[in-house]
Amino acid sequence: MAPRKPPTYAEVSYEVDHEIETAIAPFAPPEQAPAWGPDARLSVAGKPLPRVDGYLRTTGRAKYTYDLNLPGTAVGAVLMSPYPRARGVRVNPAAARKVPGVLDVMTGADAENGNKFGTRGAKLFTDAPNFVGEYLAAVVAESPEAAREGVAALAQSLEADEVLPHVVDVADALKPDAPKLDENGNARTGDPEGRGDVAKGFAEAEVEVGAEVSTPVETHACLETHGSVARWEGDALTVHDSTQAVFGVRSGLAATLGIPENKVRVIQSFMGGGFGSKLGLDRYTVIAALFAKRLGRPVKIFLTRRQDLLNTGHRPSSRQRLRAGARKDGTLTALELVSTGPPGSGCGRPISSLYACPNVRVVHTNVQINSGPPRPQRAPGDVQGATGLEVLMDRLAEKLGLDPLALRLKNFAEKDPSSGRPYSTNPLRECYAKGAEQFGWEALRRKRPGSDPGPLKRGVGMGAQIWPGGGAPNWKADCVVNADGTAEVRTGTQDIGTGTKTILCQVAAEELGLPIGKVSITLGDTDAPFGGSSGGSVVTPSSTPAVHEAAHDAKEKLLALAAPILGKEAGDLEASQGRIRAKGETSGGIPFAEVVRKANAGPVVGSGTRILHDRFREFAIYAFGAQFVEVEVDVETGVVRVLRVVAAHDCGRPVNPMLAASQVEGGVIQAICFALYSERILDRRLGDFVNANLHDYRLALLPDVPEIATIFCGAPDAMVSGVGAKGIGEPAIIPTAGAIVNAVHHATGVWCTELPLTPDRVLAALGVA
Amino acid sequence: MAPRKPPTYAEVSYEVDHEIETAIAPFAPPEQAPAWGPDARLSVAGKPLPRVDGYLRTTGRAKYTYDLNLPGTAVGAVLMSPYPRARGVRVNPAAARKVPGVLDVMTGADAENGNKFGTRGAKLFTDAPNFVGEYLAAVVAESPEAAREGVAALAQSLEADEVLPHVVDVADALKPDAPKLDENGNARTGDPEGRGDVAKGFAEAEVEVGAEVSTPVETHACLETHGSVARWEGDALTVHDSTQAVFGVRSGLAATLGIPENKVRVIQSFMGGGFGSKLGLDRYTVIAALFAKRLGRPVKIFLTRRQDLLNTGHRPSSRQRLRAGARKDGTLTALELVSTGPPGSGCGRPISSLYACPNVRVVHTNVQINSGPPRPQRAPGDVQGATGLEVLMDRLAEKLGLDPLALRLKNFAEKDPSSGRPYSTNPLRECYAKGAEQFGWEALRRKRPGSDPGPLKRGVGMGAQIWPGGGAPNWKADCVVNADGTAEVRTGTQDIGTGTKTILCQVAAEELGLPIGKVSITLGDTDAPFGGSSGGSVVTPSSTPAVHEAAHDAKEKLLALAAPILGKEAGDLEASQGRIRAKGETSGGIPFAEVVRKANAGPVVGSGTRILHDRFREFAIYAFGAQFVEVEVDVETGVVRVLRVVAAHDCGRPVNPMLAASQVEGGVIQAICFALYSERILDRRLGDFVNANLHDYRLALLPDVPEIATIFCGAPDAMVSGVGAKGIGEPAIIPTAGAIVNAVHHATGVWCTELPLTPDRVLAALGVA
């Protein structure tokens, strides 16, 4: 079946360009500092500048929390449960105390805060573990070696009143004879969600297809394991934490310890990965703080690699049964997702929001197993859900004889199908058009699936994504201009490796009219102005408006101070190249330093807050993208290689296209892990995570990384305010896996939809193994 | 000669009380947050609360910069010149490099910043020292012991092309055969200063007296010696410094190293004394920063006690010849001060500003000697000048047969005699009245000088002071209210041990309507909002208005957020006891925490800047005080003991009367050191400071400390803005020494005016020795 010709890309492009031109103008809210014009007018922002901390990062000089060894630090270590399910578990602290160098032991019985964790009744240590990896006790010692030995001694002393039957597989947990983990049964099905009338939609359909897709448990596998250093000064606690959320950790810690928030300071420095697993308070931090109080010394606790993989969360697995109904021209009439997985594994957003289908139904069943709680992982839910949806779309395209891209364009949503609200901007058609063109989609996709001769078969596939890109309100920043004309940005959010420091320096430098080298930044500290969590792709859209406004405020103050010196009105002045000049002039004027010194009023301070104006709430603010991948499948070995990815994404204004592209590359690589390599394997008999190390838990390695070309589409989004930049961290990981599955089908002619696509699964799908 | 009866204190008191009542109302500037009413209405401010960091201080848990030992720290030490004057001085670095543990050596030849120090052409290391204690070279080593050995090896390698003749005594330097330290001669007399026509004044005088007073070189003798810890992260430098001026050190360091200010962060923690000697950048800080850059490790340098006494400045000596002319009723017609001392030893302010005399003349001669530069020390100049002036006044009273207090009241200045401007407030008469009454002055002073029988003779004396108390403009602060209802104050100034942390928490707590325990503070950090140096008694008047305004701003924001929740107008609400309530109600309302959480807008941030309004500049803003002392002189041994001090001071509103009294006590004790014990002794032959240790350089010890009663007079000063608090740190040290000399005269009948009044000098004055 030859695919029909899709609309010409010229047509699509034309529509898109028109859309861009009109996207900004009408909505600029008067309350905000004026947004900049097009990138072409900018001198610092919008440029692919290297990271401001690149030197430190690339020379090993960057100090991570893991590297922090304060004088007199004692080292903590924790004992985690080896039982997947037990009751009356206890240790003998005396066993650990005998170990030379061990200073103290902590159990639920003697934790000074009453063994609490958080505000929802959770315990710090349990005596009734429900998965391998729950916290049982902790040791603090003079050295890491002594702490480990202390934990080993505690482990040897372990006793349990009862080791209960467990289940670690979702399918097993649904069997009638499965251990009951919950009084009401292991499975709980939520109310159906969606819109319209799916039965009617399928009745109207001229074709109908189904798909079954399953996705694995993926762990965050941060290179820097989870850990904290805690120290007290009287009743004031300072925690150095490898965290994505200094303010969140602070409030959680204050509540858990029963101390006021203003007595807790949380500091984050360089960080070796979080991906959602470091978004809140964790138990090691509480334990470090309690031990530090006991000892009157700083205490450092970092989890071991195995503990890190066992306990710090994961992306839960999903099993998705999908159905689509459509007219013969490809117009969707109904979409349905029935999914099953551990608690927290719902994944219905993509099917509900990406395409303009009037009838959508999502039903999800959570199933209890003994595997520990999941945690948000980069685009939680959407990575799984988009994989299912995009496979479903390709199966529909196959059945209809349509090009997959043509089918997607046919079902492009002109407004948010869930809420009916208009989009602030939606450059998805531009993403489709530019991505397909650069990829060479049309020519490559014409090939009949599985038609390559020989064992190495190539194929191409695509996927699309939608993700809330508008950020959060109330983030704050200060911008200080010093007496030597240099500037400092201060805000409490974190740079978790994404380049936040650099883009915020760019925003401030651009707005102030300073070279980037004259702007420095302090962040990752609850002593700085409030900034929220580095998660949900909110950092760029939430912090750039605050920094933009702070810099604008500082600039306005500089202009006002310069006016009497220059004998002009402030309104007739502008700032550029570190000088205040009459508007339109390119030389003369006076340097910032002179303005600040002559004013003799101390550093000039501007402040900014990211306000989400009511007007914005009338719009649906999303970031869109489409990815195109080419794979090669060895049908004799089952090995899949991704050769090439073209990723076309919308992030409003990319403040630094190089760093935004770096986010896209990271997302694509992590998605390749998800699609091809990574999978938590729990031993059904022991309930244990048998590949809890970075050798057996496979990540993409350098030879696995394809060529990745990133294209940015769209335009600055006025609804985001500030500089119009949307989030890009999560969007980039969403469409890749579906595109890979689709490409493997295009290469081989078979559908292999149980992820990851390891050689054994591919061979099974090919009917070889 | 019996003293005349002074005015009754009831009369004085009445005038003063009237003055207080009218002091505040008319000038409250509308731009400022409203000042509080009288103390009686306050619940936190104005109360003698213990220090917020008292627990840490009294239990040894407070960490001083001296206590900071970062991991991997190398230790620096410096070699200071043993020559008082030489040329072509050099060391052999190889000698030190051989010492085990020595890592590197630095001399002027290889200091990476071109051997610069500051912006005025000074050198970091000299090869031509002009006093014993100049920096010649430095060593950095693995341990303090190795660093000391390295310095010893350098010292042994010392060579000089020429050791030049030197002079360390001012009188010697004026001799014709003295070594010429300056081409134009060792002495330089400044232009006469003052007002009116002194010759005419003396012509109009009916009586004239003279006095000769000399004061010693006093060192700051901080218990924590001077030092810094420097560390780099890439091109960014962080310095932990035992300093009174984080922002001053930052700008000095940036200029000296040729790096931008925004790449330097200076942090100060607990501090063991400064008294003016830690008001700016010092060489050890630069050396630590340069070594840290070389080694890629943190470097700590603290001076030894001897080096600290040699090099970090001192209060220069003075020799004062004074004359006063007056009418028979005591009205001053002329005052003259002719003084001599090393550069920086001018001391003419008290004689120019304390009394209402129309004709004043001050002539000062600076004399070069080989003793190193002085540095501001607690009330620099005024301690010396007030001693001379108050002795002169008592000699005049003696000659006129007037009670010394009556003479001072007679010459009370109704407005600033220098500028003619009105005082913002001047409660000096209240200080006189209340101090004298509590002291029992009238009865005690009636005794004829020297008339006690036996060898132990008691006497009483008094002194007064004036000091600029209005602080500096442009200090900033933030006040943050968290989601749990706690608050944080942030400002960049330092707490150098005076209680700044505590009073700023009190100001914020009072203004917010929170208990003090709910307010915390961060200061001593250039990452906080700008705050100036802790010197000149400016901290309280400069920082309390900023913090008051910041807290007020935060409170206004809280009221605005609470208004819709409570269904009222913000203007009808007030904050008290951590709740927002309808005005006038004492129960109900909602807690701050609920307001912040329901607003869901992150922490509430208020900001404040201390503005010095133009209206204020029309006034003379001073802090006044009078002290009364009783001494006992053993005329057989010459030992003087101070038995009792009553100190009546004006500091506007004492935000914390206990801490303000603590400042007064510290000032009185330091003044007793100056008057009786402390004296730098330079060996004329060697040019060396022979008592450069805390055994031979005598400070007051516990048995030397008298009973000190402090009375606060006056009222909140609206011209200071904010809460109306003036500085008290320096005022307290000014009048004591003169009062002691006067009391010794009252006890013995002889004038002993060469300070310190050591037994040998007292016996000489008595004609015994």
Side-chain angles (χ1 to χ4, degrees), chain B residues 607-622:
Chain B
S607 294
T609 299
R610 198 272 170 122
I611 306 288
L612 208 57
H613 293 276
D614 288 343
R615 182 88 179 87
F616 297 0
R617 300 182 203 273
E618 299 167 21
F619 292 84
I621 310 179
Y622 286 97

PDB file of all heavy atoms in Angstrom, chain B residues 607-622:
ATOM      1  N   SER B 607      10.811  45.067  50.800  1.00  0.00           N
ATOM      2  CA  SER B 607      12.149  45.646  50.631  1.00  0.00           C
ATOM      3  C   SER B 607      12.177  47.033  51.237  1.00  0.00           C
ATOM      4  O   SER B 607      11.166  47.732  51.239  1.00  0.00           O
ATOM      5  CB  SER B 607      12.502  45.758  49.144  1.00  0.00           C
ATOM      6  OG  SER B 607      12.622  44.480  48.594  1.00  0.00           O
ATOM      7  N   GLY B 608      13.341  47.406  51.722  1.00  0.00           N
ATOM      8  CA  GLY B 608      13.472  48.736  52.305  1.00  0.00           C
ATOM      9  C   GLY B 608      14.834  49.330  52.014  1.00  0.00           C
ATOM     10  O   GLY B 608      15.820  48.617  51.902  1.00  0.00           O
ATOM     11  N   THR B 609      14.867  50.645  51.897  1.00  0.00           N
ATOM     12  CA  THR B 609      16.126  51.378  51.721  1.00  0.00           C
ATOM     13  C   THR B 609      16.131  52.527  52.701  1.00  0.00           C
ATOM     14  O   THR B 609      15.114  53.202  52.874  1.00  0.00           O
ATOM     15  CB  THR B 609      16.243  51.926  50.284  1.00  0.00           C
ATOM     16  OG1 THR B 609      16.228  50.838  49.368  1.00  0.00           O
ATOM     17  CG2 THR B 609      17.536  52.711  50.102  1.00  0.00           C
ATOM     18  N   ARG B 610      17.231  52.753  53.349  1.00  0.00           N
ATOM     19  CA  ARG B 610      17.328  53.880  54.250  1.00  0.00           C
ATOM     20  C   ARG B 610      17.602  55.132  53.394  1.00  0.00           C
ATOM     21  O   ARG B 610      18.665  55.276  52.812  1.00  0.00           O
ATOM     22  CB  ARG B 610      18.465  53.683  55.249  1.00  0.00           C
ATOM     23  CG  ARG B 610      18.351  54.600  56.470  1.00  0.00           C
ATOM     24  CD  ARG B 610      19.002  55.934  56.298  1.00  0.00           C
ATOM     25  NE  ARG B 610      18.680  56.848  57.376  1.00  0.00           N
ATOM     26  CZ  ARG B 610      19.568  57.435  58.154  1.00  0.00           C
ATOM     27  NH1 ARG B 610      20.835  57.217  57.979  1.00  0.00           N
ATOM     28  NH2 ARG B 610      19.175  58.248  59.098  1.00  0.00           N
ATOM     29  N   ILE B 611      16.607  55.983  53.345  1.00  0.00           N
ATOM     30  CA  ILE B 611      16.721  57.220  52.575  1.00  0.00           C
ATOM     31  C   ILE B 611      17.042  58.355  53.555  1.00  0.00           C
ATOM     32  O   ILE B 611      16.447  58.448  54.618  1.00  0.00           O
ATOM     33  CB  ILE B 611      15.378  57.546  51.877  1.00  0.00           C
ATOM     34  CG1 ILE B 611      14.899  56.357  51.041  1.00  0.00           C
ATOM     35  CG2 ILE B 611      15.502  58.805  51.036  1.00  0.00           C
ATOM     36  CD1 ILE B 611      15.675  56.104  49.795  1.00  0.00           C
ATOM     37  N   LEU B 612      17.984  59.186  53.167  1.00  0.00           N
ATOM     38  CA  LEU B 612      18.242  60.377  53.970  1.00  0.00           C
ATOM     39  C   LEU B 612      17.553  61.541  53.259  1.00  0.00           C
ATOM     40  O   LEU B 612      18.052  62.052  52.257  1.00  0.00           O
ATOM     41  CB  LEU B 612      19.751  60.604  54.083  1.00  0.00           C
ATOM     42  CG  LEU B 612      20.235  61.317  55.328  1.00  0.00           C
ATOM     43  CD1 LEU B 612      19.810  60.613  56.600  1.00  0.00           C
ATOM     44  CD2 LEU B 612      21.763  61.409  55.293  1.00  0.00           C
ATOM     45  N   HIS B 613      16.388  61.889  53.725  1.00  0.00           N
ATOM     46  CA  HIS B 613      15.605  62.914  53.038  1.00  0.00           C
ATOM     47  C   HIS B 613      16.278  64.281  53.133  1.00  0.00           C
ATOM     48  O   HIS B 613      16.960  64.581  54.100  1.00  0.00           O
ATOM     49  CB  HIS B 613      14.209  62.976  53.639  1.00  0.00           C
ATOM     50  CG  HIS B 613      13.436  61.739  53.367  1.00  0.00           C
ATOM     51  ND1 HIS B 613      12.752  61.541  52.195  1.00  0.00           N
ATOM     52  CD2 HIS B 613      13.287  60.607  54.084  1.00  0.00           C
ATOM     53  CE1 HIS B 613      12.192  60.347  52.221  1.00  0.00           C
ATOM     54  NE2 HIS B 613      12.515  59.749  53.346  1.00  0.00           N
ATOM     55  N   ASP B 614      16.054  65.078  52.112  1.00  0.00           N
ATOM     56  CA  ASP B 614      16.658  66.408  52.092  1.00  0.00           C
ATOM     57  C   ASP B 614      16.309  67.194  53.360  1.00  0.00           C
ATOM     58  O   ASP B 614      17.131  67.926  53.894  1.00  0.00           O
ATOM     59  CB  ASP B 614      16.165  67.185  50.866  1.00  0.00           C
ATOM     60  CG  ASP B 614      16.776  66.632  49.594  1.00  0.00           C
ATOM     61  OD1 ASP B 614      17.789  65.907  49.701  1.00  0.00           O
ATOM     62  OD2 ASP B 614      16.244  66.914  48.513  1.00  0.00           O
ATOM     63  N   ARG B 615      15.085  67.013  53.817  1.00  0.00           N
ATOM     64  CA  ARG B 615      14.638  67.717  55.021  1.00  0.00           C
ATOM     65  C   ARG B 615      15.572  67.436  56.196  1.00  0.00           C
ATOM     66  O   ARG B 615      15.829  68.312  57.020  1.00  0.00           O
ATOM     67  CB  ARG B 615      13.221  67.211  55.336  1.00  0.00           C
ATOM     68  CG  ARG B 615      12.549  67.831  56.518  1.00  0.00           C
ATOM     69  CD  ARG B 615      11.800  69.091  56.126  1.00  0.00           C
ATOM     70  NE  ARG B 615      11.118  69.678  57.295  1.00  0.00           N
ATOM     71  CZ  ARG B 615      11.688  70.524  58.121  1.00  0.00           C
ATOM     72  NH1 ARG B 615      12.934  70.895  57.916  1.00  0.00           N
ATOM     73  NH2 ARG B 615      11.023  71.023  59.139  1.00  0.00           N
ATOM     74  N   PHE B 616      16.082  66.206  56.235  1.00  0.00           N
ATOM     75  CA  PHE B 616      16.961  65.840  57.349  1.00  0.00           C
ATOM     76  C   PHE B 616      18.248  66.640  57.333  1.00  0.00           C
ATOM     77  O   PHE B 616      18.852  66.876  58.368  1.00  0.00           O
ATOM     78  CB  PHE B 616      17.340  64.362  57.284  1.00  0.00           C
ATOM     79  CG  PHE B 616      16.187  63.415  57.426  1.00  0.00           C
ATOM     80  CD1 PHE B 616      14.885  63.852  57.609  1.00  0.00           C
ATOM     81  CD2 PHE B 616      16.413  62.044  57.398  1.00  0.00           C
ATOM     82  CE1 PHE B 616      13.836  62.967  57.735  1.00  0.00           C
ATOM     83  CE2 PHE B 616      15.370  61.154  57.526  1.00  0.00           C
ATOM     84  CZ  PHE B 616      14.083  61.620  57.685  1.00  0.00           C
ATOM     85  N   ARG B 617      18.665  66.983  56.137  1.00  0.00           N
ATOM     86  CA  ARG B 617      19.977  67.632  56.016  1.00  0.00           C
ATOM     87  C   ARG B 617      19.961  69.036  56.597  1.00  0.00           C
ATOM     88  O   ARG B 617      21.001  69.657  56.752  1.00  0.00           O
ATOM     89  CB  ARG B 617      20.414  67.652  54.551  1.00  0.00           C
ATOM     90  CG  ARG B 617      20.540  66.258  53.963  1.00  0.00           C
ATOM     91  CD  ARG B 617      21.030  66.295  52.514  1.00  0.00           C
ATOM     92  NE  ARG B 617      20.646  65.078  51.803  1.00  0.00           N
ATOM     93  CZ  ARG B 617      21.359  63.950  51.791  1.00  0.00           C
ATOM     94  NH1 ARG B 617      22.496  63.884  52.428  1.00  0.00           N
ATOM     95  NH2 ARG B 617      20.939  62.889  51.128  1.00  0.00           N
ATOM     96  N   GLU B 618      18.800  69.556  56.875  1.00  0.00           N
ATOM     97  CA  GLU B 618      18.720  70.880  57.506  1.00  0.00           C
ATOM     98  C   GLU B 618      19.015  70.789  59.000  1.00  0.00           C
ATOM     99  O   GLU B 618      19.088  71.801  59.678  1.00  0.00           O
ATOM    100  CB  GLU B 618      17.323  71.469  57.299  1.00  0.00           C
ATOM    101  CG  GLU B 618      16.986  71.646  55.829  1.00  0.00           C
ATOM    102  CD  GLU B 618      15.500  71.922  55.628  1.00  0.00           C
ATOM    103  OE1 GLU B 618      14.845  72.356  56.593  1.00  0.00           O
ATOM    104  OE2 GLU B 618      15.019  71.667  54.515  1.00  0.00           O
ATOM    105  N   PHE B 619      19.146  69.569  59.481  1.00  0.00           N
ATOM    106  CA  PHE B 619      19.366  69.385  60.915  1.00  0.00           C
ATOM    107  C   PHE B 619      20.751  68.800  61.193  1.00  0.00           C
ATOM    108  O   PHE B 619      21.333  68.122  60.351  1.00  0.00           O
ATOM    109  CB  PHE B 619      18.302  68.429  61.489  1.00  0.00           C
ATOM    110  CG  PHE B 619      16.942  69.026  61.487  1.00  0.00           C
ATOM    111  CD1 PHE B 619      16.157  68.974  60.342  1.00  0.00           C
ATOM    112  CD2 PHE B 619      16.442  69.680  62.617  1.00  0.00           C
ATOM    113  CE1 PHE B 619      14.893  69.542  60.320  1.00  0.00           C
ATOM    114  CE2 PHE B 619      15.187  70.243  62.598  1.00  0.00           C
ATOM    115  CZ  PHE B 619      14.400  70.189  61.446  1.00  0.00           C
ATOM    116  N   ALA B 620      21.241  69.072  62.380  1.00  0.00           N
ATOM    117  CA  ALA B 620      22.465  68.438  62.864  1.00  0.00           C
ATOM    118  C   ALA B 620      22.040  67.245  63.709  1.00  0.00           C
ATOM    119  O   ALA B 620      21.314  67.414  64.690  1.00  0.00           O
ATOM    120  CB  ALA B 620      23.274  69.423  63.694  1.00  0.00           C
ATOM    121  N   ILE B 621      22.443  66.052  63.265  1.00  0.00           N
ATOM    122  CA  ILE B 621      22.011  64.839  63.961  1.00  0.00           C
ATOM    123  C   ILE B 621      23.189  64.281  64.752  1.00  0.00           C
ATOM    124  O   ILE B 621      24.148  63.770  64.166  1.00  0.00           O
ATOM    125  CB  ILE B 621      21.481  63.789  62.971  1.00  0.00           C
ATOM    126  CG1 ILE B 621      20.455  64.422  62.018  1.00  0.00           C
ATOM    127  CG2 ILE B 621      20.870  62.605  63.726  1.00  0.00           C
ATOM    128  CD1 ILE B 621      19.889  63.480  60.982  1.00  0.00           C
ATOM    129  N   TYR B 622      23.117  64.415  66.054  1.00  0.00           N
ATOM    130  CA  TYR B 622      24.197  63.952  66.922  1.00  0.00           C
ATOM    131  C   TYR B 622      23.649  63.082  68.036  1.00  0.00           C
ATOM    132  O   TYR B 622      22.470  63.181  68.401  1.00  0.00           O
ATOM    133  CB  TYR B 622      24.951  65.137  67.544  1.00  0.00           C
ATOM    134  CG  TYR B 622      25.848  65.860  66.568  1.00  0.00           C
ATOM    135  CD1 TYR B 622      25.412  67.008  65.917  1.00  0.00           C
ATOM    136  CD2 TYR B 622      27.130  65.388  66.301  1.00  0.00           C
ATOM    137  CE1 TYR B 622      26.230  67.664  65.009  1.00  0.00           C
ATOM    138  CE2 TYR B 622      27.953  66.051  65.397  1.00  0.00           C
ATOM    139  CZ  TYR B 622      27.502  67.188  64.756  1.00  0.00           C
ATOM    140  OH  TYR B 622      28.319  67.827  63.873  1.00  0.00           O
TER     141      TYR B 622
END
